[in-house]
Amino acid sequence: MTNHDRDPAENGSTAGTNQAGPGVPDAAAVPGGDAAPDSGTAPGGGSAHDSDSDIVLEARGVTKHFPVRRTVGDLVSRRRRTVHAVDDVSLRLRRGSVTALVGESGSGKSTVARLLSQLYPLTEGEIRLGGTPVKAGRGRSFRAYVKQVQLIFQDPFASLNPVHTVRYHLTRSLKIHGKQATEAEACELLERVQLLPPLQYLDKFPHELSGGQRQRVAIARALGADPKVLLADEPVSMLDVSIRLGVLNLLRDLKERLHLAILYITHDIASARYFADTTLVMYAGRIVEGGDSETVTQQPAHPYTQLLIASAPDPDRLADEEAQEETGSGEPPSLISPPGGCRFHPRCPKAMERCRTELPPRFELDDGQWAACWLYEDRPVTTAVPGAPVSGDVTGTGTGPTGSGPTASTTEVAAK
Amino acid sequence: MTTGRPVLTIRGLNVDYGTGPGAVHALRDIDLTLHRGEVLGLAGESGSGKSTLAYAVTRLLSPPGVITGGDVHYHPPQGDAAPVDLLTLTPQELRAFRWQELSIVFQGAMNSLNPVHTVHSQLTDVLKAHRPEMRQAERTGRAEELLNLVGISRDRLGAFPHQLSGGMRQRVMIAMALALEPEIVIMDEPTTALDVVMQRQILRKLVALREELGFSVVFITHDISLLIEFSDRIAIMYGGRIVEEAGAAEIYRDPRHPYSDGLLHSFPALHGPRRELTGIPGSPPHLTAMPTGCAFHPRCGKAFDPCAGHVPVLTAPDDAPERTVACWLHHSAPGDAADPAPVSVSGAGPEADPGAGARESAGDTSAARSG
């Protein structure tokens, strides 16, 4: 799903896309360069129907490390610690399709949304919009980017300005993105999100609306830019349960009518199954499994996905709690010094010796599903992923928690 | 599961916010019985009054909340002891009663610990207040025992709250609620802020402790699929009233109230066929502008004549004496409505209730849907 077979030469342009100076893109380009020759021979399973022209937004080996405030001890030992919020995330958003990113809180899924919307600069990797690498700074270039990639926030109670009417929110969005900011246009936006009749809502203030209506206004505002991509960061988790599905169904309807690419970030894997075409599972800053939503939820391959599904509330569950005990327990690791090897190994009931030291690459399973887990090492490795862990990252994260491998050192440069 | 004697009975409880003509009726005519050793689930959306109920029962309701009617009785475990009327307790009696007999784990319990005190001092504080005769070493011993109970190693006793993860803080709160071995533990959305993995661990722990220590739990949440798995009986609230009460399995297999049915169909399933779900059209009513009659009727796909004009009473449906539901579909309608067949007033928007075809008439007794 996330593998690519693009011209490796394009990696050269990463230099312009990375903030961290000329040293880092070189490091980032190496794995991509290594991986690309293989991609010609292994086009990747399940990608037959996915033509590249459908890919609107793509992340390649995106990494984000946040610097930690230094203590006196850190200054003495000249140590720079970073939170490894997102490591080597590659994903593709396709036109007219919903991709779900599922994970616990703290797994880095919201950071991915913010990276994709260019609210944070990348530490490493690149983001491509319509095939061309982008690096939106601030001002004009940022605005041109957000015109195409809009973010919907979790909390509609906080994302609308309480002192302005719905009309203001919508016409402002239209104006900023160069549309005609007329009442008719605003009404059309409200009709799109099924707030009918629109005139009744136009002059309301956010406090006069219910949570679901507010989220619809937030969606209408995002549509005001006429975007190609919607990044929905837990769009329904703050809403009342009885109206969540209404908002999800609306988003799906918009996807179909406007051919939007939607990234749906959620902690609820059941709603990902319901709403998304593709599901990616994230754990401690890394994507551990991906594939068709139905396959991922019905035949989870990675032990973490299995744990997640076993933990989800399910009224149909029979009283076989014993079987569940084997799926593991515990808590996500600290991201300041994440465990070496597979980040899930301390909690994994199936952990092997190898899991502690070596980072698993993405092994390809059937039907386009893949999992980053050594249990599947007999399967072919998905090599076509830029910055695939096969080349650079194994040594980097594999040598130790905050080892002195290439990954760690580049991080420190970037963290300045 | 274990339906022993009642331990808490609530009769006709009414709570208003504010007084006079502008008062908002947050709870109306709540009748609820909690039995010994039972997990009673209380489900409902925000604004349905579930937290207000928890606060009213514990007498924690702060102004402008006023209890305007009804009574709440606690039945001590000793068979011959007289029931305690919670609403008339004096402040001293109340102080002795709380935590000793009834404890509460608050919503957002992760942030309810005092950040400047260690876990040890917060756990022993309750013992100091209620068991003044205990010696320091005994209190520390008890605190260690409590942490053990919720699966936290005893060396975390000296930790400050910020040194614990969210799940651990939550478990410390549960340990604190169990410190005096109360008869009733009220949990107000105890796991909403947690991840599913941790949520399941904590709830499994709680169910195990319940079996071990024999207390009763009132479990408040909006996640009805969680309740079905973990509770014995479920009461569903809407607009300040209980609209249906039945065993967890009955609610799941055969919800009688259209709102319960809608709630059950608001959660996508992880297994089974993938089907189109609609949720419930419309949005929950505002307490200041409550619809007349049944509060749910503007959103209900099966609303018919009496719904808009008459408030349905929470009684046993004609065919199932062990459960209660407040819906005209299941009772003979008041006055002239001789024909109980639902006349659709189509106020429900384009997406009708997904289970609408399953039960055609009020008298249908079959388990309409399974799985």
Side-chain angles (χ1 to χ4, degrees):
Chain A
M1 314 298 335
T2 45
N3 45 347
H4 76 108
D5 40 4
R6 280 185 181 282
D7 188 349
E10 283 180 18
N11 276 313
S13 52
T14 25
T17 71
N18 209 303
Q19 241 207 352
V24 180
D26 290 349
V30 170
D34 283 350
D38 300 55
S39 67
T41 55
S47 60
H49 61 287
D50 314 318
S51 71
D52 270 6
S53 63
D54 270 349
I55 299 168
V56 192
L57 191 66
E58 181 178 1
R60 294 185 176 191
V62 162
T63 297
K64 179 71 190 174
H65 294 175
F66 292 102
V68 176
R69 195 171 64 180
R70 300 173 80 186
T71 60
V72 176
D74 290 338
L75 287 172
V76 170
S77 62
R78 309 192 127 209
R79 187 170 51 151
R80 279 178 194 277
R81 295 186 300 164
T82 56
V83 174
H84 298 234
V86 170
D87 261 328
D88 187 31
V89 162
S90 303
L91 56 85
R92 291 168 159 193
L93 301 182
R94 292 194 159 76
R95 188 167 292 131
S97 128
V98 178
T99 305
L101 190 58
V102 182
E104 293 172 89
S105 58
S107 63
K109 51 194 198 307
S110 288
T111 307
V112 169
R114 276 150 205 253
L115 291 171
L116 287 177
S117 60
Q118 304 267 9
L119 288 177
Y120 293 151
L122 305 182
T123 304
E124 230 176 84
E126 66 170 337
I127 289 170
R128 287 163 172 257
L129 181 66
T132 40
V134 281
K135 171 74 202 80
R138 287 288 169 260
R140 205 174 285 268
S141 67
F142 178 70
R143 210 156 256 193
Y145 182 81
V146 296
K147 186 174 183 323
Q148 307 204 46
V149 181
Q150 283 275 319
L151 183 61
I152 300 168
F153 293 94
Q154 176 174 8
D155 186 358
F157 296 83
S159 67
L160 298 178
N161 190 332
V163 302
H164 287 302
T165 58
V166 171
R167 181 195 298 269
Y168 175 87
H169 283 105
L170 297 182
T171 50
R172 186 159 184 269
S173 158
L174 289 165
K175 215 179 287 170
I176 285 173
H177 297 293
K179 307 268 161 40
Q180 279 191 315
T182 59
E183 184 173 298
E185 294 281 326
C187 283
E188 199 196 311
L189 286 178
L190 285 175
E191 273 166 29
R192 275 195 193 165
V193 295
Q194 290 159 20
L195 286 176
L196 303 167
L199 283 174
Q200 196 187 314
Y201 292 96
L202 212 47
D203 289 306
K204 287 227 155 102
F205 285 93
H207 73 263
E208 298 174 280
L209 304 173
S210 72
Q213 290 167 341
R214 274 185 247 203
Q215 195 62 292
R216 281 168 197 259
V217 170
I219 294 170
R221 177 176 59 180
L223 294 177
D226 201 8
K228 291 188 175 131
V229 182
L230 274 187
L231 307 171
D233 188 358
E234 306 237 18
V236 294
S237 55
M238 295 287 283
L239 303 180
D240 275 323
V241 284
S242 69
I243 53 181
R244 284 183 189 174
L245 282 168
V247 172
L248 283 188
N249 288 345
L250 167 73
L251 282 173
R252 180 158 56 190
D253 183 52
L254 290 172
K255 167 202 90 173
E256 276 154 16
R257 278 194 294 150
L258 308 175
H259 277 281
L260 291 172
I262 297 182
L263 179 69
Y264 172 57
I265 293 177
T266 183
H267 60 265
D268 178 8
I269 196 165
S271 74
R273 180 198 179 213
Y274 174 74
F275 175 53
D277 305 298
T278 313
T279 295
L280 303 167
V281 181
M282 203 162 173
Y283 180 74
R286 286 181 180 275
I287 298 186
V288 295
E289 178 167 359
D292 173 68
S293 293
E294 196 62 19
T295 319
V296 170
T297 50
Q298 300 310 299
Q299 290 130 32
H302 197 281
Y304 175 65
T305 318
Q306 291 166 0
L307 171 65
L308 207 58
I309 285 178
S311 302
D314 183 2
D316 285 320
R317 189 191 308 278
L318 298 168
D320 55 347
E321 294 280 305
E322 261 84 303
Q324 263 186 61
E325 296 290 348
E326 289 159 25
T327 54
S329 57
E331 292 172 27
S334 150
L335 292 180
I336 294 179
S337 49
C342 172
R343 287 187 180 172
F344 188 58
H345 85 256
R347 295 171 73 184
C348 184
K350 295 171 185 154
M352 302 173 284
E353 200 45 50
R354 191 173 192 180
C355 303
R356 286 174 239 286
T357 50
E358 278 181 79
L359 187 69
R362 297 178 168 190
F363 292 106
E364 213 155 307
L365 309 172
D366 304 328
D367 304 325
Q369 190 184 8
W370 60 265
C373 178
W374 287 118
L375 288 176
Y376 305 97
E377 59 181 315
D378 53 326
R379 308 295 183 105
V381 174
T382 314
T383 44
V385 179
V390 211
S391 39
D393 256 321
V394 172
T395 44
T397 334
T399 42
T402 38
S404 52
T407 316
S409 55
T410 47
T411 312
E412 285 168 22
V413 176
K416 268 189 250 181
Chain B
M1 218 180 285
T2 40
T3 43
R5 295 171 45 237
V7 62
L8 187 75
T9 47
I10 303 168
R11 289 287 166 262
L13 188 67
N14 277 281
V15 172
D16 285 3
Y17 284 105
T19 50
V24 170
H25 306 292
L27 288 184
R28 297 191 232 200
D29 304 324
I30 299 290
D31 285 330
L32 203 59
T33 305
L34 176 69
H35 299 278
R36 203 164 297 283
E38 173 183 66
V39 178
L40 173 66
L42 211 51
E45 294 177 82
S46 52
S48 63
K50 18 184 228 313
S51 294
T52 303
L53 180 58
Y55 288 145
V57 165
T58 45
R59 295 267 310 270
L60 285 170
L61 207 59
S62 51
V66 199
I67 298 172
T68 53
D71 48 32
V72 181
H73 281 100
Y74 166 73
H75 304 270
Q78 299 78 23
D80 49 346
V84 182
D85 185 354
L86 293 191
L87 301 186
T88 56
L89 288 182
T90 62
Q92 287 85 351
E93 289 169 334
L94 196 60
R95 203 160 57 227
F97 175 81
R98 281 183 188 152
W99 232 257
Q100 175 68 52
E101 311 291 344
L102 185 156
S103 61
I104 180 164
V105 178
F106 290 103
Q107 196 165 3
M110 276 166 73
N111 304 318
S112 326
L113 289 171
N114 189 332
V116 300
H117 288 291
T118 59
V119 168
H120 175 265
S121 76
Q122 296 187 58
L123 273 177
T124 50
D125 188 42
V126 59
L127 297 170
K128 235 183 258 176
H130 282 267
R131 305 270 161 84
E133 74 283 357
M134 267 177 116
R135 278 179 295 128
Q136 174 73 34
E138 284 173 348
R139 285 201 292 264
T140 305
R142 176 69 181 147
E144 283 177 354
E145 206 177 296
L146 285 168
L147 278 193
N148 228 353
L149 207 61
V150 293
I152 299 176
S153 76
R154 61 180 56 186
D155 55 9
R156 308 302 294 167
L157 208 53
F160 284 93
H162 72 270
Q163 295 169 312
L164 304 176
S165 72
M168 283 165 94
R169 269 179 271 173
Q170 195 84 38
R171 280 180 281 166
V172 168
M173 289 304 299
I174 293 176
M176 206 181 285
L178 297 176
L180 301 176
E181 302 191 346
E183 292 296 316
I184 305 168
V185 180
I186 295 178
M187 316 200 91
D188 187 5
E189 308 244 7
T191 55
T192 323
L194 298 178
D195 296 309
V196 282
V197 179
M198 187 46 66
Q199 168 173 293
R200 177 159 296 273
Q201 281 173 34
I202 287 181
L203 291 183
R204 220 187 290 154
K205 189 96 229 166
L206 189 78
V207 168
L209 287 176
R210 192 271 308 251
E211 269 152 29
E212 201 177 307
L213 305 175
F215 53 88
S216 318
V217 181
V218 179
F219 190 92
I220 300 174
T221 177
H222 62 267
D223 189 343
I224 194 169
S225 41
L226 196 67
L227 278 186
I228 285 170
E229 229 186 295
F230 282 99
S231 52
D232 304 319
R233 231 153 33 90
I234 296 178
I236 293 177
M237 294 189 70
Y238 188 79
R241 288 176 193 276
I242 293 178
V243 294
E244 181 164 10
E245 191 199 327
E250 274 86 22
I251 292 264
Y252 180 53
R253 278 199 306 266
D254 179 22
R256 293 297 178 87
H257 199 284
Y259 176 65
S260 320
D261 191 79
L263 263 191
L264 284 168
H265 286 87
S266 295
F267 290 92
L270 250 180
H271 304 287
R274 212 156 106 165
R275 52 189 171 176
E276 182 69 17
L277 299 174
T278 54
I280 305 176
S283 40
H286 217 270
L287 286 175
T288 49
M290 208 48 112
T292 57
C294 171
F296 187 60
H297 87 264
R299 299 174 75 188
C300 182
K302 296 180 204 163
F304 62 117
D305 286 340
C307 297
H310 304 271
V311 179
V313 214
L314 184 72
T315 48
D318 300 339
D319 57 309
E322 73 289 351
R323 56 190 293 176
T324 53
V325 59
C327 178
W328 289 121
L329 287 173
H330 301 286
H331 308 302
S332 21
D336 53 356
D339 176 22
V343 179
S344 177
V345 293
S346 74
E351 298 152 344
D353 179 49
R359 262 189 319 284
E360 289 102 31
S361 74
D364 194 334
T365 62
S366 62
R369 231 174 323 87
S370 57

